[in-house]
Amino acid sequence: MNLLNNQKFRGIFFQLLTVIGLVAFLWYITTNMFHNIEQRGITTGFDFFGQIAGFGISESPIPYSDQTSTYFDAFKVGIINTLIVSGVGIFFASILGVIIGVARLSKNYIVSKLSLGYIEFFRNIPILLQILFWYNVVLAALPKPRQSIQLASDMFLNNRGLFVPKPIMEAGFTFVIIAFVLAIFVSIFLVKWANKRFEETGKESFLLPWIVLIIVGLPLGVYFLSGSPLHFDYPALKGFNFRGGMSYSPEFLALTFALSIYTATYIAEAIRSGIEAIPKGQKEAAASLGLSSYQSLKLVILPQAIRIAIPPIINQYLNLTKNSSLATAIGYPELVTVFAGTCLNQTGQAIEIILVTMLVYLTISLTISFVLNIINKKMEIKGR
Amino acid sequence: MNEENIIEIKNLNKWYGDFHVLKDINLNIKKGEILVICGPSGSGKSTVTRCMNYLETFQEGSINIDGTELTDDVKKIKQVRSEVAMVFQHFELFPHLTILDNLILAPTHVHHQPRHEAIDTAMKYLERVNIADQADKYPNQLSGGQKQRVAIARALCANPKIMLFDEPTSALDPEMISEVLDVMMELATEDKTMICVTHEMGFARKVADRVIFMADGQIVEENTPEEFFHNPQSDRLKLFLEQILDH
Amino acid sequence: MAVYDLKPTREAPSNLRGPIKWVLENLLSTPLNVALTFLGIAFLFWVIPPFIQWAIIDANFVGTTKADCTGDGACWVFIHQKLTLFIYGFYPQDDYWRINSAVGLAFVFGAIFKYFGRSFITKILIFSLYPIVAYFLISGGYFGLETVPTDKWGGLSLTLIIASVGIVMAFPLGVVLAFGRASDLPIIRNISVVYIEFIRGVPLISILFMASVILPLFFPEGVSFNKLLRALIGITLFQAAYVAEIIRGGLQAIPKGQYEAADSLGLSYWQKMLLVILPQALKVAIPNLVGASIALFKDTSLVLIIGLFDLLAMVHLTGSDASWMGFDTEGYVFVTLIFWIFCFSLSKYGKYLEDRFNTNNR
């Protein structure tokens, strides 16, 4: 038999060709790369991580100094800021997305059309444009600190950011935390008890007010009993700016608003398609069995809709995290701005830095995918 | 309401927008009667059946189920639905629950039965439809015929006085139709009132007390099965029978 | 037992249809609904009139300088003055006709493609000919046209160039990757998977940085990449991974029987894929491909960060023009409008395609 026509041989031959081609290409670009690096006098390797960075970072959740912190410290700050802004964004995007998604399905014409308008409007505008808009138009239009908008008795909004009181925990506060954890355990126990009661007697229990009471009341009670072990550092206007309290920079605010509002449109659509994917017959069967609207939703529709909606929603969380990299445009010090921006400019070691940056995002993506796979496996509707 | 009747439909009219879907339906169904409704698609036969457990609303006329008048009143709807059970063309089992959980869902959550009681009842009916060994499986692991039998068992768990069947065998492969019809015929020997929308003429002939022919939103002809199939009176029915009995 | 006469069709009772019924059912059916309707209307009143006041009633439409913007409203004069900048970037004014012709030619080629593209080969030829013609038109250097270097390209025209090149070039690469991922050959498959998952796991900005900064290092000294080319390479490589996944979804929708039928007819691998499988897969994939193209169109705005002057960058830039300070709101509103119109139209077109293909399949 002619060897060239043997399918198996062809497969191996073709793969061999690809490998050789790929290796040759990689060899070509790497030799060029090293040559070019040498020519330009750029250092290689990861030693720079230990060097002192020498630049300041405007907001950092961990101690960072422009005098003593290394590039590795800057790298850490970048990652943490990325995680913070992504986490906050995911939180608000989810809440907003659920509200808009449910509103979209409402029988009320105005509510449904308003949410449709929201979705169609924010979905068709680039996220970068939305970030720039919030930053340059909305937040820039805020008044100077001396004329701040007072949102609550100690919350101030101005063009330097949002200033709120900072809670400072005293010694006795640990008891409050213990009380909170205890309250959660009690609630779990209560839910288990109610389920058992339902199985045995068919009686339903209305637990929600009790659970709220316990989770809020118990820690609160302990708080007052131990003499209110919490005091606040209030933001106060000193000179031209506020001192004290906690502050959220305009960069952080603009980024969070834009990311939340934009991602919420996709989450809303995922929720809507999840619910609409459930055949009308399911609702009818539930109704004909006598289940109320609330029961149908809780026992039949939502369990199925969630299974459909979760993968795209988690995908959106991933997108939001990747989109946080656009903070570069407004200078919020997350990973790309700090590391692939300032650090890269100072050290010139583009290859290492960009590769490491990509690896960080890749790790986040793969972790989220992995978690998603586990969730999916657990929730699978079993079939043939 | 006449003592003998369990369902009384008077001058029922329904519109979908401007489309007159049900025209002046007048129908009295006696307790324990087996009624078969047939007709071409679009005749309104499914619609009128679905009005009986208020899955469809209507604009004119009245429906009285076992003494309860069907209106928008949620309490009345709930009362009616506890006495009327429905079997759907596409089974509509809940795919995320096991067969057993499918059956005990309504008894526990609507009728507040303790779980072990509900399970006993459910197993009893599962055995009755010959599918008790599948109790822990999920719907998508069953064949069409099996699914429909489970659906019938689920309907029976509520111990209904009236059972509605909306084309129960239309979505089944031919070899599975008889297993479902057998179950239905066995049910017919009890004192339940059964209303079946179906094309299965064999079933109608063997079991029905009365057969109704609907077309274009109204009742065109009604008769005993024998007379209905051998002596069709109206041209419309003659045409319809020709079309369905020809193959 | 009984036969009934034909009953007449009646009209639905008047109090139960028409606008009154609609309002009652859709807006006021329950107390909750009444409250929501009220809130909804209140919200609309809170948002719309002030915007119309600013954008139209108090706005200035005519004039040439900042002084002409007297009112509290929007200064559309600013947009009017900068419009050519927004659309053509820094392209020389005398040569605007070249960009306009390139756009016009797109429609001409499109029509030729639709009405005269019979065989696969002619379709490919027409499809490939246009970019070449357009490139020479815009870039110049031949046929007596002056060279216009790429750093002068900007504004909406640059956005359209980047988007169309990205969409067109990413497609064949995405097809190859999708085939690779579906392949039986382990090496090919693994290379494709690694590429796709790597690209999808990182943000576009990092790919653009890589293309912008690292790409030149991969090639010997003499080879130069202008900024635009680097961005195009980055965007193409990025988009190809997403296109690959979409096509993979389409491939998965093709029943195994199709592959088997093609094999049993004796078709080679490429004949099978290109003549039987791919056309069907594309039909399924079209709506998602349109969606990905819309996403790409929006993502072109990222080139702002690496120093290219697309539409968003132009507006951003002119906001700091000294003679027109303080009108960036108008600029952003304008850019928002342009992007929104493009993206919304594309999504409507995608829906149209989806409906058309759905009826085909019935």
Side-chain angles (χ1 to χ4, degrees):
Chain A
M1 175 168 31
N2 190 341
L3 207 57
L4 268 169
N5 283 332
N6 180 333
Q7 224 176 350
K8 210 167 177 188
F9 180 77
R10 274 176 129 185
I12 299 180
F13 181 68
F14 192 55
Q15 290 178 87
L16 209 63
L17 218 64
T18 316
V19 170
I20 294 178
L22 197 64
V23 168
F25 177 69
L26 286 172
W27 181 82
Y28 177 70
I29 59 177
T30 3
T31 33
N32 279 323
M33 186 175 82
F34 283 116
H35 175 75
N36 284 325
I37 289 179
E38 224 185 283
Q39 283 267 327
R40 299 174 198 206
I42 306 175
T43 33
T44 53
F46 293 95
D47 296 331
F48 70 92
F49 270 120
Q51 293 168 8
I52 299 213
F55 63 88
I57 297 182
S58 57
E59 31 189 323
S60 167
I62 59 174
Y64 178 88
S65 124
D66 56 350
Q67 306 283 328
T68 56
S69 297
T70 62
Y71 283 112
F72 189 67
D73 295 321
F75 177 63
K76 275 193 293 187
V77 172
I79 294 184
I80 296 180
N81 277 336
T82 295
L83 292 174
I84 291 180
V85 82
S86 304
V88 173
I90 286 177
F91 179 72
F92 286 112
S94 305
I95 296 180
L96 198 55
V98 168
I99 295 177
I100 305 279
V102 168
R104 183 81 184 87
L105 294 164
S106 163
K107 287 211 184 73
N108 184 314
Y109 184 78
I110 292 191
V111 169
S112 157
K113 289 303 173 194
L114 271 178
S115 58
L116 175 65
Y118 174 98
I119 294 175
E120 287 299 331
F121 182 69
F122 287 107
R123 197 165 54 162
N124 286 316
I125 305 175
I127 175 67
L128 184 57
L129 172 54
Q130 295 187 42
I131 294 177
L132 289 174
F133 184 84
W134 281 101
Y135 189 64
N136 288 317
V137 176
V138 177
L139 287 169
L142 288 175
K144 296 207 203 0
R146 289 192 153 197
Q147 287 106 24
S148 302
I149 302 174
Q150 191 162 7
L151 292 173
S153 67
D154 289 289
M155 278 174 59
F156 301 97
L157 187 63
N158 55 58
N159 66 6
R160 300 287 198 91
L162 177 68
F163 295 88
V164 300
K166 181 175 179 173
I168 299 184
M169 297 183 241
E170 294 166 7
F173 199 74
T174 31
F175 290 117
V176 181
I177 297 185
I178 294 178
F180 182 68
V181 173
L182 203 70
I184 295 198
F185 275 112
V186 170
S187 308
I188 294 180
F189 176 75
L190 222 73
V191 169
K192 284 205 152 108
W193 172 84
N195 281 340
K196 192 141 188 261
R197 183 164 174 253
F198 177 71
E199 283 187 12
E200 283 173 6
T201 65
K203 291 210 197 107
E204 297 204 16
S205 332
F206 195 41
L207 280 184
L208 194 63
W210 292 106
I211 293 188
V212 170
L213 194 67
I214 293 177
I215 291 193
V216 172
L218 196 64
L220 208 62
V222 172
Y223 173 76
F224 284 117
L225 280 176
S226 50
S228 310
L230 194 74
H231 78 261
F232 287 93
D233 185 12
Y234 293 101
L237 187 57
K238 292 205 170 64
F240 287 100
N241 205 351
F242 278 85
R243 300 255 177 265
M246 294 196 299
S247 65
Y248 298 97
S249 67
E251 289 81 12
F252 177 79
L253 294 173
L255 199 57
T256 344
F257 282 169
L259 286 174
S260 309
I261 292 182
Y262 180 71
T263 312
T265 63
Y266 291 96
I267 294 183
E269 280 294 273
I271 291 179
R272 180 176 77 97
S273 8
I275 294 189
E276 282 189 353
I278 311 301
K280 187 171 141 203
Q282 289 286 300
K283 224 168 71 168
E284 291 180 344
S288 75
L289 284 171
L291 293 170
S292 71
S293 290
Y294 170 71
Q295 284 173 321
S296 307
L297 210 61
K298 178 176 144 198
L299 299 167
V300 175
I301 306 291
L302 281 182
Q304 297 184 60
I306 291 217
R307 283 172 169 83
I308 300 181
I310 292 245
I313 289 182
I314 297 209
N315 203 27
Q316 286 310 318
Y317 289 169
L318 193 55
N319 282 342
L320 189 148
T321 310
K322 286 191 285 180
N323 280 334
S324 71
S325 58
L326 296 175
T328 319
I330 59 174
Y332 175 74
E334 46 72 65
L335 181 64
V336 172
T337 318
V338 166
F339 195 56
T342 321
C343 294
L344 191 155
N345 283 334
Q346 284 192 189
T347 64
Q349 297 196 228
I351 299 166
E352 289 88 344
I353 289 185
I354 293 186
L355 261 167
V356 169
T357 309
M358 287 181 166
L359 273 166
V360 171
Y361 279 104
L362 207 53
T363 314
I364 299 179
S365 304
L366 290 175
T367 315
I368 295 187
S369 297
F370 184 67
V371 169
L372 178 61
N373 267 336
I374 297 184
I375 296 181
N376 266 341
K377 271 257 130 58
K378 275 205 136 165
M379 290 198 313
E380 232 179 6
I381 289 188
K382 298 187 193 31
R384 301 203 144 182
Chain B
M1 175 156 176
N2 188 333
E3 283 286 300
E4 279 190 356
N5 293 335
I6 194 168
I7 297 182
E8 278 185 10
I9 301 178
K10 291 197 176 75
N11 298 323
L12 187 66
N13 278 285
K14 179 182 168 70
W15 285 265
Y16 272 139
D18 279 330
F19 180 50
H20 197 174
V21 146
L22 291 177
K23 299 175 188 163
D24 287 332
I25 306 285
N26 282 289
L27 188 57
N28 292 335
I29 303 176
K30 294 203 180 57
K31 291 185 183 149
E33 182 175 353
I34 316 278
L35 177 69
V36 166
I37 308 179
C38 62
S41 57
S43 56
K45 53 191 197 297
S46 280
T47 314
V48 75
T49 312
R50 293 150 79 92
C51 283
M52 295 187 211
N53 67 349
Y54 218 60
L55 283 182
E56 301 274 0
T57 58
F58 48 91
Q59 284 84 13
E60 267 183 28
S62 73
I63 301 185
N64 194 310
I65 311 267
D66 198 23
T68 312
E69 174 110 8
L70 260 184
T71 61
D72 274 329
D73 186 340
V74 177
K75 267 198 156 132
K76 299 222 172 104
I77 298 177
K78 193 166 177 189
Q79 170 67 22
V80 164
R81 285 183 180 161
S82 66
E83 296 183 26
V84 178
M86 187 157 192
V87 175
F88 295 82
Q89 181 178 359
H90 294 288
F91 333 125
E92 301 304 346
L93 296 179
F94 304 131
H96 59 296
L97 302 173
T98 61
I99 302 300
L100 190 60
D101 285 331
N102 260 277
L103 262 67
I104 65 174
L105 184 70
T108 52
H109 283 85
V110 178
H111 308 295
H112 303 296
Q113 260 191 327
R115 192 181 149 97
H116 63 269
E117 257 185 56
I119 293 183
D120 287 338
T121 321
M123 290 307 294
K124 190 176 83 190
Y125 285 117
L126 283 178
E127 271 170 34
R128 188 148 167 214
V129 300
N130 294 319
I131 207 159
D133 54 338
Q134 310 283 347
D136 288 322
K137 294 247 174 79
Y138 284 86
N140 287 341
Q141 293 171 304
L142 268 52
S143 72
Q146 290 173 316
K147 280 194 257 206
Q148 196 61 300
R149 284 187 279 141
V150 170
I152 296 178
R154 181 177 69 176
L156 287 171
C157 279
N159 213 1
K161 291 188 189 155
I162 303 168
M163 288 189 76
L164 307 173
F165 293 84
D166 187 2
E167 303 210 42
T169 56
S170 300
L172 293 176
D173 291 331
E175 70 271 15
M176 297 193 223
I177 294 182
S178 57
E179 73 192 61
V180 174
L181 287 181
D182 286 340
V183 169
M184 288 168 67
M185 283 197 273
E186 203 245 306
L187 281 178
T189 61
E190 293 184 7
D191 56 354
K192 292 199 197 306
T193 312
M194 286 168 65
I195 298 156
C196 308
V197 176
T198 183
H199 296 303
E200 292 296 324
M201 296 302 124
F203 171 80
R205 277 205 199 125
K206 282 189 212 153
V207 164
D209 294 320
R210 182 165 49 139
V211 184
I212 284 181
F213 175 66
M214 281 183 73
D216 299 319
Q218 64 169 95
I219 300 178
V220 173
E221 185 167 330
E222 53 178 298
N223 221 327
T224 60
E226 272 305 307
E227 290 299 302
F228 188 89
F229 291 110
H230 291 300
N231 270 335
Q233 305 285 319
S234 63
D235 290 332
R236 196 76 185 73
L237 178 56
K238 287 184 193 154
L239 179 63
F240 178 69
L241 286 175
E242 250 171 66
Q243 288 169 329
I244 64 167
L245 291 176
D246 243 353
H247 60 275
Chain C
M1 231 187 310
V3 181
Y4 299 92
D5 287 327
L6 215 50
K7 292 190 204 279
T9 310
R10 278 193 283 133
E11 267 193 5
S14 57
N15 71 322
L16 293 175
R17 63 188 173 116
I20 307 229
K21 173 179 193 215
W22 184 90
V23 169
L24 284 173
E25 243 181 43
N26 289 322
L27 296 179
L28 302 171
S29 53
T30 68
L32 177 66
N33 252 347
V34 175
L36 286 174
T37 306
F38 184 68
L39 280 173
I41 295 184
F43 175 77
L44 287 170
F45 267 104
W46 181 61
V47 167
I48 297 186
F51 180 73
I52 297 192
Q53 184 87 15
W54 176 83
I56 301 181
I57 301 182
D58 288 340
N60 300 101
F61 289 90
V62 204
T64 47
T65 66
K66 180 176 172 178
D68 290 316
C69 281
T70 46
D72 291 323
C75 182
W76 299 123
V77 183
F78 167 63
I79 303 293
H80 189 224
Q81 289 301 314
K82 298 287 179 182
L83 195 60
T84 50
L85 214 60
F86 292 157
I87 297 183
Y88 300 104
F90 302 112
Y91 209 79
Q93 199 155 0
D94 297 329
D95 292 308
Y96 281 174
W97 66 271
R98 286 158 62 174
I99 295 192
N100 295 337
S101 321
V103 173
L105 273 177
F107 287 103
V108 170
F109 270 84
I112 298 180
F113 184 83
K114 188 166 174 188
Y115 294 111
F116 295 102
R118 290 295 154 209
S119 79
F120 201 53
I121 308 287
T122 43
K123 275 189 165 149
I124 300 247
L125 269 177
I126 298 173
F127 203 62
S128 335
L129 200 60
Y130 171 70
I132 301 177
V133 171
Y135 175 73
F136 282 122
L137 242 190
I138 299 181
S139 169
Y142 299 92
F143 303 114
L145 295 171
E146 250 189 57
T147 322
V148 181
T150 60
D151 55 359
K152 290 240 188 302
W153 303 5
L156 181 59
S157 53
L158 184 63
T159 299
L160 288 172
I161 292 175
I162 297 179
S164 23
V165 171
I167 293 173
V168 168
M169 296 306 292
F171 182 71
L173 185 54
V175 169
V176 169
L177 284 167
F179 285 173
R181 189 161 184 172
S183 163
D184 295 322
L185 308 174
I187 294 190
I188 310 281
R189 188 173 61 238
N190 288 324
I191 294 178
S192 309
V193 169
V194 167
Y195 178 93
I196 293 174
E197 292 304 323
F198 178 80
I199 299 277
R200 275 165 32 108
V202 300
L204 175 56
I205 193 70
S206 64
I207 305 275
L208 285 178
F209 275 7
M210 185 179 83
S212 187
V213 174
I214 303 183
L215 196 65
L217 296 175
F218 286 162
F219 295 90
E221 298 261 320
V223 181
S224 78
F225 288 86
N226 65 59
K227 245 189 198 166
L228 178 59
L229 187 56
R230 292 180 228 172
L232 287 173
I233 291 179
I235 287 190
T236 303
L237 292 176
F238 181 78
Q239 185 74 349
Y242 289 85
V243 169
E245 282 299 275
I246 293 174
I247 295 185
R248 180 168 83 109
L251 289 175
Q252 280 176 336
I254 311 298
K256 192 156 158 238
Q258 291 288 307
Y259 290 86
E260 292 173 345
D263 280 335
S264 71
L265 284 171
L267 295 177
S268 78
Y269 176 79
W270 287 105
Q271 284 173 323
K272 172 177 64 179
M273 295 310 268
L274 291 178
L275 297 175
V276 175
I277 304 295
L278 190 59
Q280 297 185 59
L282 285 182
K283 263 202 183 154
V284 173
I286 289 257
N288 286 335
L289 284 175
V290 173
S293 305
I294 297 177
L296 178 60
F297 186 78
K298 289 189 290 180
D299 283 341
T300 58
S301 52
L302 265 70
V303 299
L304 173 157
I305 300 183
I306 57 169
L308 284 169
F309 291 101
D310 76 312
L311 176 60
L312 181 57
M314 287 308 302
V315 171
H316 192 53
L317 187 69
T318 52
S320 42
D321 179 346
S323 55
W324 289 97
M325 285 304 280
F327 292 120
D328 32 358
T329 315
E330 283 83 342
Y332 283 115
V333 171
F334 175 70
V335 157
T336 304
L337 190 65
I338 301 289
F339 268 110
W340 191 87
I341 292 178
F342 270 95
C343 293
F344 187 69
S345 318
L346 277 173
S347 73
K348 282 300 166 204
Y349 180 63
K351 271 230 181 79
Y352 160 73
L353 284 178
E354 192 176 353
D355 290 336
R356 226 182 66 169
F357 284 125
N358 266 340
T359 48
N360 271 349
N361 284 339
R362 265 198 232 130

